[in-house]
Amino acid sequence: MRPRSMLLSTAALLLTGVAACSGAPETVPLPASSGPSQAAGDARDSLAATAALAMDKAYAALYSLDDGSGRPRNVVATVGGDGTWRVDVSGGALGGTADVTIASTAAGVFQCTLGSQSNPITSTCVKVAKPGKPVPDEYDPKVQRLFRQWLPVFTDRQAALAVTQVQPLAGAKGSCFSIDSISASLADPVDIGVYCYADDGVLTAARVGFGVLKITSQVEGPATVPLPGPEVAGPPMGMDAPPPAPDPVQPTGIVPSA
């Protein structure tokens, strides 16, 4: 089976497990038998070890994203064994009117259009960043950052992070970490919030500023993840809804005939 066909069939398999997200309660720190500084150090070490596992894990998983709008959206994350990856976000561009893919290969980071049953278009991709670089804000659906972008920060014990191990979010499995910044003068090094991981490093849930993400199904990942369509020239899709079409201009000086 060709890689692209494999990826499409994987996504179709995952989409059979869609489930709505439930609200997330307040996180509760786990009881610690030692002092606060030692407990914080243990949590930081545990997060770093988990993130290291996540960086080497190939998987494909379906998630539900509750952004507070009352209509949870589908997110499919696919990570290849060679480090390539893509994240498909329903309603992730043009103010929620277009599905979008963010994909990373050795050639760079791409934003791709994504067809669906209601919008059967041919996918095309536009390069938006060099390999390993973040997506510019104006083209950034944000969700993909939770899967890959923050892992090197989590493994860096010198990063300005405060880490506490907490009880799992409602409906989530695995170990959960509350992550905050310890520098008031710098921009937050990651999306601040709660991240939950399975023992093998797969992200099972996250609660950050733009919503609550929870896994609903998972399969093994492919060896590599190709782009969903050819690379083309042209501007990427923005995040804002397109302006409404202007009203048609009525011609003047014409009198309708009887």
Side-chain angles (χ1 to χ4, degrees):
M1 182 181 293
R2 292 180 303 169
R4 184 180 179 188
S5 300
M6 180 188 300
L7 194 62
L8 292 175
S9 61
T10 297
L13 174 64
L14 291 169
L15 288 173
T16 61
V18 177
C21 293
S22 59
E26 292 296 321
T27 55
V28 180
L30 293 175
S33 57
S34 56
S37 60
Q38 182 177 348
D42 291 344
R44 189 72 181 88
D45 291 343
S46 181
L47 174 64
T50 301
L53 288 174
M55 294 174 72
D56 295 328
K57 176 66 177 177
Y59 66 96
L62 171 69
Y63 296 81
S64 182
L65 174 64
D66 185 354
D67 59 4
S69 65
R71 299 179 60 185
R73 296 184 286 152
N74 293 332
V75 174
V76 177
T78 307
V79 181
D82 60 355
T84 55
W85 57 265
R86 64 179 272 189
V87 176
D88 303 347
V89 186
S90 63
L94 299 179
T97 62
D99 300 338
V100 66
T101 293
I102 300 295
S104 176
T105 70
V109 181
F110 297 82
Q111 186 206 75
C112 306
T113 58
L114 189 63
S116 64
Q117 290 184 346
S118 60
N119 185 29
I121 62 173
T122 300
S123 295
T124 58
C125 300
V126 177
K127 188 174 181 179
V128 293
K130 294 180 179 180
K133 298 299 181 181
V135 178
D137 290 343
E138 59 266 36
Y139 313 126
D140 188 5
K142 301 179 182 179
V143 187
Q144 81 287 342
R145 303 191 307 218
L146 306 181
F147 298 99
R148 306 297 295 177
Q149 186 170 337
W150 303 145
L151 294 180
V153 185
F154 292 163
T155 59
D156 180 7
R157 289 172 173 79
Q158 302 303 315
L161 297 177
V163 181
T164 305
Q165 194 159 358
V166 296
Q167 297 288 352
L169 300 175
K173 297 180 179 180
S175 300
C176 296
F177 303 90
S178 175
I179 299 173
D180 202 352
S181 173
I182 59 175
S183 176
S185 59
L186 300 175
D188 294 335
V190 299
D191 285 304
I192 300 305
V194 176
Y195 294 74
C196 301
Y197 293 93
D199 291 341
D200 59 359
V202 172
L203 182 72
T204 61
R207 186 179 68 193
V208 292
F210 55 80
V212 178
L213 185 81
K214 292 183 181 178
I215 196 170
T216 60
S217 58
Q218 176 190 340
V219 297
E220 289 297 319
T224 189
V225 181
L227 296 178
E231 181 181 357
V232 298
M237 293 185 292
M239 295 297 101
D240 297 333
D247 294 333
V249 177
Q250 297 296 330
T252 59
I254 298 177
V255 179
S257 63

mmCIF file of all heavy atoms in Angstrom, residues 28-83:
data_model
loop_
_atom_site.group_PDB
_atom_site.id
_atom_site.type_symbol
_atom_site.label_atom_id
_atom_site.label_comp_id
_atom_site.label_asym_id
_atom_site.label_seq_id
_atom_site.Cartn_x
_atom_site.Cartn_y
_atom_site.Cartn_z
ATOM 1 N N VAL A 28 -5.462 18.624 40.709
ATOM 2 C CA VAL A 28 -5.089 18.456 42.112
ATOM 3 C C VAL A 28 -3.698 17.863 42.163
ATOM 4 O O VAL A 28 -3.463 16.795 41.583
ATOM 5 C CB VAL A 28 -6.083 17.525 42.848
ATOM 6 C CG1 VAL A 28 -5.673 17.363 44.309
ATOM 7 C CG2 VAL A 28 -7.502 18.072 42.744
ATOM 8 N N PRO A 29 -2.724 18.532 42.811
ATOM 9 C CA PRO A 29 -1.381 17.966 42.894
ATOM 10 C C PRO A 29 -1.384 16.616 43.586
ATOM 11 O O PRO A 29 -2.162 16.371 44.512
ATOM 12 C CB PRO A 29 -0.609 19.014 43.704
ATOM 13 C CG PRO A 29 -1.396 20.274 43.545
ATOM 14 C CD PRO A 29 -2.829 19.853 43.435
ATOM 15 N N LEU A 30 -0.530 15.705 43.131
ATOM 16 C CA LEU A 30 -0.393 14.421 43.781
ATOM 17 C C LEU A 30 0.290 14.595 45.135
ATOM 18 O O LEU A 30 1.154 15.448 45.292
ATOM 19 C CB LEU A 30 0.441 13.478 42.913
ATOM 20 C CG LEU A 30 -0.192 13.037 41.587
ATOM 21 C CD1 LEU A 30 0.811 12.211 40.796
ATOM 22 C CD2 LEU A 30 -1.444 12.233 41.840
ATOM 23 N N PRO A 31 -0.099 13.790 46.130
ATOM 24 C CA PRO A 31 0.563 13.898 47.428
ATOM 25 C C PRO A 31 2.030 13.527 47.307
ATOM 26 O O PRO A 31 2.395 12.594 46.598
ATOM 27 C CB PRO A 31 -0.203 12.889 48.294
ATOM 28 C CG PRO A 31 -0.838 11.949 47.320
ATOM 29 C CD PRO A 31 -1.140 12.753 46.099
ATOM 30 N N ALA A 32 2.878 14.283 47.982
ATOM 31 C CA ALA A 32 4.320 14.038 47.926
ATOM 32 C C ALA A 32 4.810 13.627 49.314
ATOM 33 O O ALA A 32 4.430 14.196 50.327
ATOM 34 C CB ALA A 32 5.056 15.293 47.473
ATOM 35 N N SER A 33 5.688 12.612 49.341
ATOM 36 C CA SER A 33 6.218 12.142 50.614
ATOM 37 C C SER A 33 7.469 12.909 51.022
ATOM 38 O O SER A 33 7.958 12.764 52.130
ATOM 39 C CB SER A 33 6.542 10.644 50.516
ATOM 40 O OG SER A 33 7.461 10.418 49.460
ATOM 41 N N SER A 34 8.016 13.710 50.114
ATOM 42 C CA SER A 34 9.226 14.456 50.414
ATOM 43 C C SER A 34 8.937 15.939 50.348
ATOM 44 O O SER A 34 7.809 16.369 50.146
ATOM 45 C CB SER A 34 10.325 14.070 49.418
ATOM 46 O OG SER A 34 9.881 14.287 48.091
ATOM 47 N N GLY A 35 9.967 16.762 50.494
ATOM 48 C CA GLY A 35 9.803 18.203 50.487
ATOM 49 C C GLY A 35 9.399 18.735 49.140
ATOM 50 O O GLY A 35 9.532 18.064 48.118
ATOM 51 N N PRO A 36 8.899 20.003 49.095
ATOM 52 C CA PRO A 36 8.415 20.590 47.840
ATOM 53 C C PRO A 36 9.467 20.635 46.750
ATOM 54 O O PRO A 36 9.179 20.331 45.602
ATOM 55 C CB PRO A 36 7.976 22.000 48.266
ATOM 56 C CG PRO A 36 7.696 21.900 49.733
ATOM 57 C CD PRO A 36 8.678 20.886 50.242
ATOM 58 N N SER A 37 10.704 21.033 47.091
ATOM 59 C CA SER A 37 11.725 21.161 46.054
ATOM 60 C C SER A 37 12.080 19.807 45.462
ATOM 61 O O SER A 37 12.277 19.678 44.257
ATOM 62 C CB SER A 37 12.970 21.839 46.627
ATOM 63 O OG SER A 37 13.491 21.072 47.702
ATOM 64 N N GLN A 38 12.155 18.773 46.298
ATOM 65 C CA GLN A 38 12.463 17.449 45.780
ATOM 66 C C GLN A 38 11.319 16.930 44.924
ATOM 67 O O GLN A 38 11.537 16.326 43.871
ATOM 68 C CB GLN A 38 12.737 16.475 46.933
ATOM 69 C CG GLN A 38 13.116 15.070 46.449
ATOM 70 C CD GLN A 38 13.461 14.143 47.595
ATOM 71 O OE1 GLN A 38 13.639 14.585 48.724
ATOM 72 N NE2 GLN A 38 13.555 12.862 47.302
ATOM 73 N N ALA A 39 10.054 17.163 45.353
ATOM 74 C CA ALA A 39 8.907 16.714 44.578
ATOM 75 C C ALA A 39 8.875 17.408 43.226
ATOM 76 O O ALA A 39 8.581 16.787 42.195
ATOM 77 C CB ALA A 39 7.619 16.987 45.352
ATOM 78 N N ALA A 40 9.178 18.717 43.203
ATOM 79 C CA ALA A 40 9.200 19.455 41.942
ATOM 80 C C ALA A 40 10.297 18.928 41.032
ATOM 81 O O ALA A 40 10.112 18.805 39.815
ATOM 82 C CB ALA A 40 9.397 20.943 42.221
ATOM 83 N N GLY A 41 11.459 18.596 41.617
ATOM 84 C CA GLY A 41 12.543 18.041 40.827
ATOM 85 C C GLY A 41 12.187 16.690 40.250
ATOM 86 O O GLY A 41 12.518 16.385 39.095
ATOM 87 N N ASP A 42 11.491 15.859 41.035
ATOM 88 C CA ASP A 42 11.063 14.559 40.538
ATOM 89 C C ASP A 42 10.086 14.716 39.383
ATOM 90 O O ASP A 42 10.157 13.983 38.390
ATOM 91 C CB ASP A 42 10.412 13.755 41.665
ATOM 92 C CG ASP A 42 11.421 13.329 42.726
ATOM 93 O OD1 ASP A 42 12.631 13.391 42.433
ATOM 94 O OD2 ASP A 42 10.997 12.957 43.832
ATOM 95 N N ALA A 43 9.156 15.669 39.499
ATOM 96 C CA ALA A 43 8.178 15.902 38.435
ATOM 97 C C ALA A 43 8.879 16.402 37.170
ATOM 98 O O ALA A 43 8.535 15.991 36.054
ATOM 99 C CB ALA A 43 7.125 16.899 38.895
ATOM 100 N N ARG A 44 9.864 17.274 37.337
ATOM 101 C CA ARG A 44 10.604 17.797 36.175
ATOM 102 C C ARG A 44 11.362 16.678 35.480
ATOM 103 O O ARG A 44 11.380 16.603 34.241
ATOM 104 C CB ARG A 44 11.582 18.876 36.672
ATOM 105 C CG ARG A 44 12.257 19.651 35.551
ATOM 106 C CD ARG A 44 11.272 20.588 34.884
ATOM 107 N NE ARG A 44 11.888 21.324 33.786
ATOM 108 C CZ ARG A 44 11.945 20.875 32.531
ATOM 109 N NH1 ARG A 44 11.455 19.677 32.226
ATOM 110 N NH2 ARG A 44 12.478 21.623 31.586
ATOM 111 N N ASP A 45 11.992 15.802 36.249
ATOM 112 C CA ASP A 45 12.711 14.676 35.671
ATOM 113 C C ASP A 45 11.756 13.711 34.978
ATOM 114 O O ASP A 45 12.069 13.179 33.902
ATOM 115 C CB ASP A 45 13.505 13.935 36.753
ATOM 116 C CG ASP A 45 14.670 14.761 37.283
ATOM 117 O OD1 ASP A 45 15.059 15.738 36.616
ATOM 118 O OD2 ASP A 45 15.172 14.430 38.379
ATOM 119 N N SER A 46 10.597 13.477 35.591
ATOM 120 C CA SER A 46 9.616 12.561 35.003
ATOM 121 C C SER A 46 9.078 13.108 33.691
ATOM 122 O O SER A 46 8.924 12.369 32.715
ATOM 123 C CB SER A 46 8.474 12.322 35.998
ATOM 124 O OG SER A 46 7.522 11.424 35.459
ATOM 125 N N LEU A 47 8.814 14.422 33.643
ATOM 126 C CA LEU A 47 8.345 15.038 32.403
ATOM 127 C C LEU A 47 9.413 14.926 31.322
ATOM 128 O O LEU A 47 9.111 14.606 30.165
ATOM 129 C CB LEU A 47 7.995 16.506 32.643
ATOM 130 C CG LEU A 47 7.635 17.315 31.386
ATOM 131 C CD1 LEU A 47 6.366 16.769 30.748
ATOM 132 C CD2 LEU A 47 7.483 18.799 31.729
ATOM 133 N N ALA A 48 10.676 15.184 31.664
ATOM 134 C CA ALA A 48 11.757 15.115 30.684
ATOM 135 C C ALA A 48 11.893 13.695 30.120
ATOM 136 O O ALA A 48 12.074 13.509 28.907
ATOM 137 C CB ALA A 48 13.071 15.556 31.318
ATOM 138 N N ALA A 49 11.790 12.693 30.976
ATOM 139 C CA ALA A 49 11.893 11.309 30.521
ATOM 140 C C ALA A 49 10.715 10.946 29.625
ATOM 141 O O ALA A 49 10.887 10.263 28.594
ATOM 142 C CB ALA A 49 11.961 10.367 31.721
ATOM 143 N N THR A 50 9.521 11.393 29.983
ATOM 144 C CA THR A 50 8.333 11.112 29.177
ATOM 145 C C THR A 50 8.424 11.791 27.817
ATOM 146 O O THR A 50 8.088 11.199 26.779
ATOM 147 C CB THR A 50 7.072 11.586 29.912
ATOM 148 O OG1 THR A 50 6.978 10.927 31.178
ATOM 149 C CG2 THR A 50 5.824 11.283 29.104
ATOM 150 N N ALA A 51 8.882 13.037 27.791
ATOM 151 C CA ALA A 51 9.023 13.762 26.529
ATOM 152 C C ALA A 51 10.063 13.096 25.626
ATOM 153 O O ALA A 51 9.907 13.070 24.402
ATOM 154 C CB ALA A 51 9.405 15.215 26.800
ATOM 155 N N ALA A 52 11.118 12.558 26.215
ATOM 156 C CA ALA A 52 12.127 11.854 25.425
ATOM 157 C C ALA A 52 11.523 10.618 24.757
ATOM 158 O O ALA A 52 11.823 10.321 23.592
ATOM 159 C CB ALA A 52 13.304 11.463 26.310
ATOM 160 N N LEU A 53 10.660 9.905 25.468
ATOM 161 C CA LEU A 53 9.963 8.771 24.863
ATOM 162 C C LEU A 53 9.054 9.237 23.734
ATOM 163 O O LEU A 53 8.974 8.610 22.680
ATOM 164 C CB LEU A 53 9.135 8.038 25.924
ATOM 165 C CG LEU A 53 9.882 7.209 26.958
ATOM 166 C CD1 LEU A 53 8.903 6.677 28.002
ATOM 167 C CD2 LEU A 53 10.605 6.053 26.279
ATOM 168 N N ALA A 54 8.359 10.358 23.958
ATOM 169 C CA ALA A 54 7.421 10.875 22.956
ATOM 170 C C ALA A 54 8.134 11.256 21.665
ATOM 171 O O ALA A 54 7.575 11.109 20.574
ATOM 172 C CB ALA A 54 6.673 12.076 23.520
ATOM 173 N N MET A 55 9.357 11.736 21.753
ATOM 174 C CA MET A 55 10.096 12.156 20.568
ATOM 175 C C MET A 55 10.436 10.980 19.657
ATOM 176 O O MET A 55 10.671 11.166 18.463
ATOM 177 C CB MET A 55 11.367 12.897 20.989
ATOM 178 C CG MET A 55 11.096 14.223 21.688
ATOM 179 S SD MET A 55 12.576 15.034 22.338
ATOM 180 C CE MET A 55 13.373 15.579 20.832
ATOM 181 N N ASP A 56 10.449 9.766 20.193
ATOM 182 C CA ASP A 56 10.818 8.584 19.413
ATOM 183 C C ASP A 56 9.629 7.673 19.117
ATOM 184 O O ASP A 56 9.811 6.580 18.570
ATOM 185 C CB ASP A 56 11.893 7.775 20.152
ATOM 186 C CG ASP A 56 13.201 8.532 20.278
ATOM 187 O OD1 ASP A 56 13.507 9.324 19.370
ATOM 188 O OD2 ASP A 56 13.904 8.342 21.291
ATOM 189 N N LYS A 57 8.411 8.108 19.468
ATOM 190 C CA LYS A 57 7.233 7.256 19.320
ATOM 191 C C LYS A 57 6.514 7.543 18.006
ATOM 192 O O LYS A 57 6.180 8.690 17.711
ATOM 193 C CB LYS A 57 6.283 7.486 20.492
ATOM 194 C CG LYS A 57 4.967 6.736 20.411
ATOM 195 C CD LYS A 57 5.169 5.229 20.502
ATOM 196 C CE LYS A 57 3.835 4.493 20.501
ATOM 197 N NZ LYS A 57 4.020 3.022 20.525
ATOM 198 N N ALA A 58 6.282 6.497 17.207
ATOM 199 C CA ALA A 58 5.492 6.615 15.977
ATOM 200 C C ALA A 58 4.067 6.155 16.269
ATOM 201 O O ALA A 58 3.858 5.046 16.775
ATOM 202 C CB ALA A 58 6.102 5.774 14.863
ATOM 203 N N TYR A 59 3.096 6.981 15.963
ATOM 204 C CA TYR A 59 1.694 6.631 16.242
ATOM 205 C C TYR A 59 0.771 7.511 15.402
ATOM 206 O O TYR A 59 1.186 8.527 14.832
ATOM 207 C CB TYR A 59 1.370 6.810 17.721
ATOM 208 C CG TYR A 59 1.410 8.242 18.208
ATOM 209 C CD1 TYR A 59 0.241 9.008 18.279
ATOM 210 C CD2 TYR A 59 2.604 8.845 18.594
ATOM 211 C CE1 TYR A 59 0.277 10.324 18.717
ATOM 212 C CE2 TYR A 59 2.644 10.151 19.029
ATOM 213 C CZ TYR A 59 1.472 10.889 19.101
ATOM 214 O OH TYR A 59 1.521 12.193 19.522
ATOM 215 N N ALA A 60 -0.476 7.101 15.323
ATOM 216 C CA ALA A 60 -1.532 7.916 14.733
ATOM 217 C C ALA A 60 -2.702 7.869 15.706
ATOM 218 O O ALA A 60 -3.085 6.787 16.174
ATOM 219 C CB ALA A 60 -1.939 7.394 13.363
ATOM 220 N N ALA A 61 -3.251 9.018 16.028
ATOM 221 C CA ALA A 61 -4.301 9.071 17.049
ATOM 222 C C ALA A 61 -5.344 10.117 16.696
ATOM 223 O O ALA A 61 -5.029 11.155 16.109
ATOM 224 C CB ALA A 61 -3.699 9.365 18.428
ATOM 225 N N LEU A 62 -6.574 9.801 17.041
ATOM 226 C CA LEU A 62 -7.691 10.726 16.881
ATOM 227 C C LEU A 62 -7.976 11.387 18.218
ATOM 228 O O LEU A 62 -8.013 10.718 19.260
ATOM 229 C CB LEU A 62 -8.937 9.976 16.390
ATOM 230 C CG LEU A 62 -10.239 10.785 16.375
ATOM 231 C CD1 LEU A 62 -10.191 11.862 15.299
ATOM 232 C CD2 LEU A 62 -11.440 9.856 16.145
ATOM 233 N N TYR A 63 -8.157 12.697 18.196
ATOM 234 C CA TYR A 63 -8.459 13.463 19.403
ATOM 235 C C TYR A 63 -9.735 14.281 19.193
ATOM 236 O O TYR A 63 -10.135 14.569 18.060
ATOM 237 C CB TYR A 63 -7.317 14.430 19.732
ATOM 238 C CG TYR A 63 -6.003 13.776 20.062
ATOM 239 C CD1 TYR A 63 -5.158 13.334 19.051
ATOM 240 C CD2 TYR A 63 -5.598 13.604 21.381
ATOM 241 C CE1 TYR A 63 -3.943 12.736 19.340
ATOM 242 C CE2 TYR A 63 -4.381 13.009 21.674
ATOM 243 C CZ TYR A 63 -3.563 12.577 20.660
ATOM 244 O OH TYR A 63 -2.360 11.978 20.940
ATOM 245 N N SER A 64 -10.336 14.668 20.299
ATOM 246 C CA SER A 64 -11.439 15.621 20.283
ATOM 247 C C SER A 64 -10.957 16.894 20.962
ATOM 248 O O SER A 64 -10.406 16.846 22.072
ATOM 249 C CB SER A 64 -12.653 15.052 21.029
ATOM 250 O OG SER A 64 -13.739 15.959 20.986
ATOM 251 N N LEU A 65 -11.153 18.019 20.297
ATOM 252 C CA LEU A 65 -10.723 19.319 20.820
ATOM 253 C C LEU A 65 -11.956 20.131 21.187
ATOM 254 O O LEU A 65 -12.771 20.457 20.321
ATOM 255 C CB LEU A 65 -9.889 20.068 19.786
ATOM 256 C CG LEU A 65 -9.500 21.508 20.149
ATOM 257 C CD1 LEU A 65 -8.584 21.529 21.375
ATOM 258 C CD2 LEU A 65 -8.826 22.203 18.969
ATOM 259 N N ASP A 66 -12.076 20.455 22.464
ATOM 260 C CA ASP A 66 -13.163 21.300 22.953
ATOM 261 C C ASP A 66 -12.597 22.696 23.174
ATOM 262 O O ASP A 66 -11.850 22.929 24.122
ATOM 263 C CB ASP A 66 -13.729 20.728 24.255
ATOM 264 C CG ASP A 66 -14.941 21.497 24.762
ATOM 265 O OD1 ASP A 66 -15.267 22.548 24.163
ATOM 266 O OD2 ASP A 66 -15.553 21.069 25.753
ATOM 267 N N ASP A 67 -12.946 23.611 22.287
ATOM 268 C CA ASP A 67 -12.423 24.975 22.385
ATOM 269 C C ASP A 67 -13.409 25.924 23.057
ATOM 270 O O ASP A 67 -13.216 27.144 23.022
ATOM 271 C CB ASP A 67 -12.046 25.508 21.010
ATOM 272 C CG ASP A 67 -13.233 25.525 20.053
ATOM 273 O OD1 ASP A 67 -14.362 25.202 20.472
ATOM 274 O OD2 ASP A 67 -13.026 25.862 18.868
ATOM 275 N N GLY A 68 -14.461 25.379 23.669
ATOM 276 C CA GLY A 68 -15.434 26.207 24.374
ATOM 277 C C GLY A 68 -16.570 26.702 23.513
ATOM 278 O O GLY A 68 -17.474 27.374 24.016
ATOM 279 N N SER A 69 -16.562 26.358 22.230
ATOM 280 C CA SER A 69 -17.619 26.819 21.326
ATOM 281 C C SER A 69 -18.869 25.966 21.414
ATOM 282 O O SER A 69 -19.904 26.322 20.846
ATOM 283 C CB SER A 69 -17.104 26.821 19.885
ATOM 284 O OG SER A 69 -16.816 25.492 19.453
ATOM 285 N N GLY A 70 -18.775 24.830 22.108
ATOM 286 C CA GLY A 70 -19.913 23.929 22.194
ATOM 287 C C GLY A 70 -19.942 22.876 21.103
ATOM 288 O O GLY A 70 -20.825 22.016 21.093
ATOM 289 N N ARG A 71 -18.989 22.932 20.185
ATOM 290 C CA ARG A 71 -18.919 21.969 19.089
ATOM 291 C C ARG A 71 -17.502 21.404 19.016
ATOM 292 O O ARG A 71 -16.639 21.969 18.330
ATOM 293 C CB ARG A 71 -19.310 22.621 17.760
ATOM 294 C CG ARG A 71 -20.726 23.162 17.734
ATOM 295 C CD ARG A 71 -21.037 23.812 16.385
ATOM 296 N NE ARG A 71 -20.904 22.848 15.294
ATOM 297 C CZ ARG A 71 -21.023 23.183 14.006
ATOM 298 N NH1 ARG A 71 -21.239 24.438 13.651
ATOM 299 N NH2 ARG A 71 -20.910 22.256 13.080
ATOM 300 N N PRO A 72 -17.215 20.298 19.734
ATOM 301 C CA PRO A 72 -15.872 19.716 19.694
ATOM 302 C C PRO A 72 -15.451 19.384 18.265
ATOM 303 O O PRO A 72 -16.263 18.983 17.431
ATOM 304 C CB PRO A 72 -16.014 18.439 20.536
ATOM 305 C CG PRO A 72 -17.158 18.742 21.459
ATOM 306 C CD PRO A 72 -18.109 19.576 20.648
ATOM 307 N N ARG A 73 -14.168 19.575 17.983
ATOM 308 C CA ARG A 73 -13.626 19.357 16.650
ATOM 309 C C ARG A 73 -12.678 18.163 16.654
ATOM 310 O O ARG A 73 -12.074 17.843 17.675
ATOM 311 C CB ARG A 73 -12.891 20.610 16.170
ATOM 312 C CG ARG A 73 -13.807 21.820 15.999
ATOM 313 C CD ARG A 73 -13.040 22.999 15.420
ATOM 314 N NE ARG A 73 -12.163 23.614 16.413
ATOM 315 C CZ ARG A 73 -11.036 24.250 16.107
ATOM 316 N NH1 ARG A 73 -10.615 24.309 14.866
ATOM 317 N NH2 ARG A 73 -10.317 24.814 17.055
ATOM 318 N N ASN A 74 -12.550 17.528 15.498
ATOM 319 C CA ASN A 74 -11.644 16.389 15.347
ATOM 320 C C ASN A 74 -10.224 16.867 15.069
ATOM 321 O O ASN A 74 -10.015 17.817 14.312
ATOM 322 C CB ASN A 74 -12.090 15.488 14.193
ATOM 323 C CG ASN A 74 -13.408 14.803 14.470
ATOM 324 O OD1 ASN A 74 -13.748 14.558 15.618
ATOM 325 N ND2 ASN A 74 -14.160 14.504 13.427
ATOM 326 N N VAL A 75 -9.273 16.180 15.679
ATOM 327 C CA VAL A 75 -7.853 16.398 15.410
ATOM 328 C C VAL A 75 -7.218 15.026 15.220
ATOM 329 O O VAL A 75 -7.406 14.135 16.051
ATOM 330 C CB VAL A 75 -7.160 17.144 16.574
ATOM 331 C CG1 VAL A 75 -5.655 17.225 16.334
ATOM 332 C CG2 VAL A 75 -7.748 18.534 16.755
ATOM 333 N N VAL A 76 -6.496 14.831 14.117
ATOM 334 C CA VAL A 76 -5.769 13.587 13.876
ATOM 335 C C VAL A 76 -4.283 13.903 13.828
ATOM 336 O O VAL A 76 -3.835 14.698 12.993
ATOM 337 C CB VAL A 76 -6.207 12.914 12.562
ATOM 338 C CG1 VAL A 76 -5.363 11.654 12.307
ATOM 339 C CG2 VAL A 76 -7.685 12.539 12.610
ATOM 340 N N ALA A 77 -3.525 13.307 14.734
ATOM 341 C CA ALA A 77 -2.073 13.486 14.782
ATOM 342 C C ALA A 77 -1.409 12.204 14.295
ATOM 343 O O ALA A 77 -1.736 11.114 14.781
ATOM 344 C CB ALA A 77 -1.617 13.816 16.197
ATOM 345 N N THR A 78 -0.486 12.323 13.335
ATOM 346 C CA THR A 78 0.235 11.171 12.795
ATOM 347 C C THR A 78 1.730 11.467 12.845
ATOM 348 O O THR A 78 2.188 12.467 12.298
ATOM 349 C CB THR A 78 -0.183 10.884 11.348
ATOM 350 O OG1 THR A 78 -1.606 10.775 11.270
ATOM 351 C CG2 THR A 78 0.437 9.587 10.862
ATOM 352 N N VAL A 79 2.477 10.601 13.510
ATOM 353 C CA VAL A 79 3.926 10.754 13.658
ATOM 354 C C VAL A 79 4.601 9.530 13.055
ATOM 355 O O VAL A 79 4.277 8.390 13.414
ATOM 356 C CB VAL A 79 4.325 10.904 15.140
ATOM 357 C CG1 VAL A 79 5.839 11.075 15.262
ATOM 358 C CG2 VAL A 79 3.601 12.082 15.777
ATOM 359 N N GLY A 80 5.528 9.753 12.125
ATOM 360 C CA GLY A 80 6.228 8.657 11.482
ATOM 361 C C GLY A 80 7.467 8.229 12.244
ATOM 362 O O GLY A 80 8.000 8.964 13.081
ATOM 363 N N GLY A 81 7.930 7.040 11.923
ATOM 364 C CA GLY A 81 9.124 6.521 12.570
ATOM 365 C C GLY A 81 10.372 7.310 12.252
ATOM 366 O O GLY A 81 11.355 7.252 13.007
ATOM 367 N N ASP A 82 10.355 8.076 11.147
ATOM 368 C CA ASP A 82 11.519 8.870 10.767
ATOM 369 C C ASP A 82 11.443 10.316 11.268
ATOM 370 O O ASP A 82 12.276 11.141 10.896
ATOM 371 C CB ASP A 82 11.686 8.864 9.247
ATOM 372 C CG ASP A 82 10.469 9.451 8.531
ATOM 373 O OD1 ASP A 82 9.464 9.765 9.194
ATOM 374 O OD2 ASP A 82 10.532 9.601 7.291
ATOM 375 N N GLY A 83 10.461 10.614 12.107
ATOM 376 C CA GLY A 83 10.337 11.963 12.658
ATOM 377 C C GLY A 83 9.426 12.890 11.876
ATOM 378 O O GLY A 83 9.146 14.001 12.330
#
